[in-house]
Amino acid sequence: MTPGDLALDDLHRVLRGALSTASHLLTAGERVIVRRLLALEGPPGRLWVRLAARRSASFRQDSISLSDVPDVEEALLELAEHDLVHRSLPWSRVLALLRVPELKALCRQRGHPVGGRREALVERLLPEPGPAPIACWRLSGRTLVRRLERVWFQSGWRDRGTLLLERIGQVQWVDYPLSAPQRAFERRTQWRAFEASLHPAEPERHLQALQHSTARGPAHRGLDARRYHERHLAEALRELERAGEHAEAAQGYAALLACEPRRPGEHALRLAQCLDKLERPAEGAAVCVKWRARARPEHAASLERSGRRLAKKAKGHWRPARPLLKAPERTLQLPAGPKQRSRPTWGEPPLPIERAVLRHCGPRLGEFAENGLWTTIFGLVCFDLLWLPIPGMLPVPGMDGPLDLGTAAFMRQRAAPFAERLEQLRQGLGAEILARHHAQWGGAQVRGVHAFPLETLQAVTEACGPALAAVVERLGKEGWSAARGLPDLVFLPGEHGVIPELVPSRLPEGLLLVEVKGPTDALRDAQRVWHDRLLRAGLAVEIWKVSPCP
């Protein structure tokens, strides 16, 4: 089977799957197009799927050369009989397909000057439309297929490339039982509203959409128009802030918060800062108080700090929240290296700061962890929970995890088995569970799981002991966004080590989590929250401040 036939088979697979849940959303004309695409085979089918993968729907016939489509013109004519390609192109698109010598020849033919750049040639010819001097075509049906892909994959961004990667052996997927298909949308108006939400519009339109809609459940989270409206509106309000329009931005943030957004703490912080710019610190402090308890932990920490500052500026009272535990600090001196891609380097040979610290602390074994190590441990200790038959969570093949993986719904929809797994982790069984699931994983594509050595994963899991439950619980309860702020480095248990350039210079024997900061780096609130959680769980966490050698 040729690559074109494989791609055509993927197209048919997606269309049949989408029709099982979305046929009621299509117009009569769209159903005709889908039936014609499902009937494609041989050279015309191979040609259509190749053309659909191009960036533009318009193309020149002489630009097509495919080994498995011997007669391109014949294949195009057969597609044209089924209205899957058209010769009718706007004159502007025809000019865009012409090369500079062809544009000059056309100018010469019509009595125009032939000098200047391409833009000037096009400008002379644009007011005088005429027949195309070359064979030009426009592909039909590509936009409809893309919309049906989003419905079938239950995602605003996934497409048939997922299936292609598996076919060519680039990735492999876990074999899991499919959930019963569910309707993505009940009415066509809902579908069209979601498609419209993918594109930026005037802020008022995004706000109105948020005011007249409700959030969708976990099974349809990837097709929730509110997510995109909130994102586009927040980006527009940030642009207003950058332009100095703080009053208008504050009004927009207040309206956004009234719509029960997904990240209220983030928007409340922006609103408080706008009010500060407008010299209304008391109102800003009140916003911080109101939303502090409803925000995610990292945003709550930001609201705490901003609210305290605004209350002091307004000469008002501030009731502080429970203070966060602070990680102890060390200082480390390393030779400064040249910048690479505008990023400082350290040591010899020059490396990014985290890698340089790891190398300098050898032979003590360490790992550049950040978020990936911990989401990998989460994915492996909870591997069996990922594939439980939760309704609607695994609707199609080729998924890298259930639809709610990495969201706050993951723990909620698996409350009993997740609680049982946390209890097993508190009993110190994490390393045993991880090793068993690592063999089942087999390197398949799973969201959040990366190819760390099994020995490293087991060593970290064993060294964490019961404290691992605190990390897993937070990631399960809040989702992958909570992983931001986990320490940069993990030093595995080993003998006491002495590093002369480090003050204090003696490393502990047990597991050590290290946040590395350069001379201009500041600790983020997400990092402060994780330091507090990890310290309260009994893990050793430190901040290493790196400075250049004198």
Side-chain angles (χ1 to χ4, degrees):
M1 185 176 285
T2 69
D5 288 324
L6 293 175
L8 183 59
D9 185 60
D10 290 340
L11 171 67
H12 290 169
R13 185 179 181 186
V14 169
L15 291 179
R16 285 191 294 266
L19 285 178
S20 67
T21 60
S23 61
H24 65 291
L25 303 174
L26 301 177
T27 64
E30 289 170 340
R31 291 192 190 97
V32 170
I33 293 175
V34 172
R35 284 198 296 269
R36 289 173 177 173
L37 289 171
L38 286 171
L40 283 179
E41 58 183 13
R46 299 173 199 147
L47 180 59
W48 194 95
V49 293
R50 299 288 186 83
L51 294 173
R54 290 190 164 203
R55 179 173 299 180
S56 173
S58 305
F59 59 94
R60 302 166 55 114
Q61 181 174 315
D62 60 8
S63 68
I64 308 299
S65 177
L66 300 173
S67 60
D68 53 358
V69 183
D71 193 334
V72 171
E73 183 176 5
E74 182 181 347
L76 285 171
L77 290 175
E78 186 171 339
L79 290 173
E81 289 179 8
H82 297 91
D83 289 329
L84 295 176
V85 294
H86 300 276
R87 284 187 181 274
S88 57
L89 268 73
W91 182 240
S92 59
R93 290 301 308 153
V94 172
L95 295 178
L97 293 173
L98 295 180
R99 302 183 179 100
V100 171
E102 294 166 336
L103 291 170
K104 289 185 176 182
L106 200 56
C107 283
R108 189 178 297 109
Q109 179 184 338
R110 299 191 179 190
H112 297 305
V114 297
R117 300 173 65 85
R118 177 187 182 88
E119 294 77 8
L121 299 173
V122 170
E123 186 177 355
R124 293 168 196 152
L125 295 169
L126 197 57
E128 302 177 6
I134 59 171
C136 299
W137 299 82
R138 175 173 54 86
L139 192 68
S140 177
R142 185 174 71 161
T143 301
L144 174 61
V145 169
R146 184 69 191 97
R147 289 166 53 206
L148 289 173
E149 281 181 323
R150 287 193 276 260
V151 169
W152 192 61
F153 282 109
Q154 295 283 309
S155 169
W157 58 270
R158 294 184 77 200
D159 57 22
R160 298 191 310 279
T162 298
L163 305 178
L164 174 63
L165 291 174
E166 180 183 22
R167 285 190 182 279
I168 64 177
Q170 190 71 23
V171 299
Q172 65 181 87
W173 310 100
V174 174
D175 185 17
Y176 52 84
L178 298 181
S179 306
Q182 299 181 8
R183 283 189 172 187
F185 302 98
E186 292 299 325
R187 297 184 301 279
R188 182 178 174 84
T189 53
Q190 294 174 322
W191 188 26
R192 300 301 291 170
F194 166 73
E195 292 291 333
S197 74
L198 300 177
H199 309 287
E202 294 297 320
E204 292 76 12
R205 290 184 58 184
H206 293 301
L207 180 58
Q208 289 174 3
L210 286 169
Q211 291 170 338
H212 296 90
S213 63
T214 56
R216 309 198 72 189
H220 298 134
R221 174 181 171 273
L223 300 178
D224 191 350
R226 287 180 60 88
R227 298 178 63 201
Y228 297 94
H229 286 303
E230 181 180 340
R231 182 184 304 168
H232 292 315
L233 179 55
E235 290 172 354
L237 296 177
R238 286 290 287 139
E239 288 299 322
L240 288 175
E241 286 188 75
R242 296 185 185 100
E245 302 290 339
H246 299 294
E248 190 174 348
Q251 185 178 358
Y253 283 122
L256 176 55
L257 286 168
C259 298
E260 299 183 1
R262 294 169 55 245
R263 301 192 176 194
E266 190 175 320
H267 307 313
L269 181 63
R270 302 307 318 168
L271 173 57
Q273 292 174 346
C274 286
L275 293 172
D276 184 23
K277 295 287 186 181
L278 295 170
E279 297 299 329
R280 293 154 60 184
E283 295 178 50
V287 167
C288 294
V289 170
K290 178 180 178 179
W291 292 98
R292 179 177 58 180
R294 310 184 212 180
R296 297 183 181 187
E298 64 271 22
H299 297 148
S302 301
L303 290 169
E304 170 74 18
R305 191 179 65 257
S306 295
R308 186 189 306 112
R309 177 180 60 81
L310 292 173
K312 182 178 181 181
K313 185 175 181 179
K315 299 182 179 179
H317 174 70
W318 179 261
R319 179 176 293 177
R322 183 195 70 176
L324 299 176
L325 294 180
K326 295 182 178 180
E329 297 182 0
R330 299 182 193 239
T331 59
L332 175 64
Q333 290 188 338
L334 293 177
K339 285 191 175 183
Q340 294 181 355
R341 297 181 181 178
S342 74
R343 186 180 180 186
T345 61
W346 299 82
E348 297 176 1
L351 292 172
I353 189 169
E354 298 88 358
R355 300 289 182 188
V357 171
L358 270 181
R359 185 188 59 194
H360 191 78
C361 293
R364 182 69 175 267
L365 294 178
E367 189 72 46
F368 184 17
E370 282 193 314
N371 310 348
L373 177 70
W374 299 102
T375 59
T376 298
I377 291 175
F378 176 95
L380 291 176
V381 299
C382 298
F383 190 78
D384 54 337
L385 307 186
L386 270 57
W387 318 107
L388 291 177
I390 307 298
M393 291 300 102
L394 296 164
V396 296
M399 295 184 65
D400 56 2
L403 290 172
D404 60 354
L405 177 59
T407 74
F410 183 85
M411 176 176 171
R412 186 172 64 249
Q413 295 201 119
R414 299 161 182 78
F418 196 88
E420 182 180 352
R421 183 55 41 82
L422 290 178
E423 184 58 32
Q424 292 171 341
L425 296 180
R426 294 187 185 103
Q427 295 172 8
L429 302 176
E432 177 185 336
I433 295 171
L434 184 140
R436 183 171 68 248
H437 290 166
H438 188 276
Q440 298 176 14
W441 167 53
Q445 189 83 3
V446 178
R447 199 178 328 142
V449 177
H450 306 279
F452 286 94
L454 175 60
E455 296 76 12
T456 300
L457 297 172
Q458 282 187 293
V460 173
T461 305
E462 187 72 39
C464 284
L468 181 63
V471 178
V472 172
E473 182 176 16
R474 187 180 176 202
L475 294 180
K477 185 177 181 180
E478 300 178 31
W480 280 169
S481 61
R484 290 194 291 266
L486 279 160
D488 295 317
L489 307 180
V490 173
F491 286 100
L492 302 178
E495 296 182 359
H496 281 297
V498 175
I499 303 172
E501 296 81 8
L502 185 67
V503 180
S505 61
R506 191 174 179 84
L507 294 182
E509 291 183 344
L511 185 75
L512 178 62
L513 312 181
V514 174
E515 186 69 48
V516 179
K517 291 296 177 185
T520 60
D521 295 336
L523 203 62
R524 303 193 310 273
D525 288 319
Q527 295 167 335
R528 292 188 179 93
V529 169
W530 266 117
H531 294 177
D532 174 78
R533 294 288 181 94
L534 296 170
L535 289 168
R536 291 182 187 278
L539 295 173
V541 185
E542 296 182 353
I543 301 169
W544 288 11
K545 294 186 174 181
V546 180
S547 59
C549 295

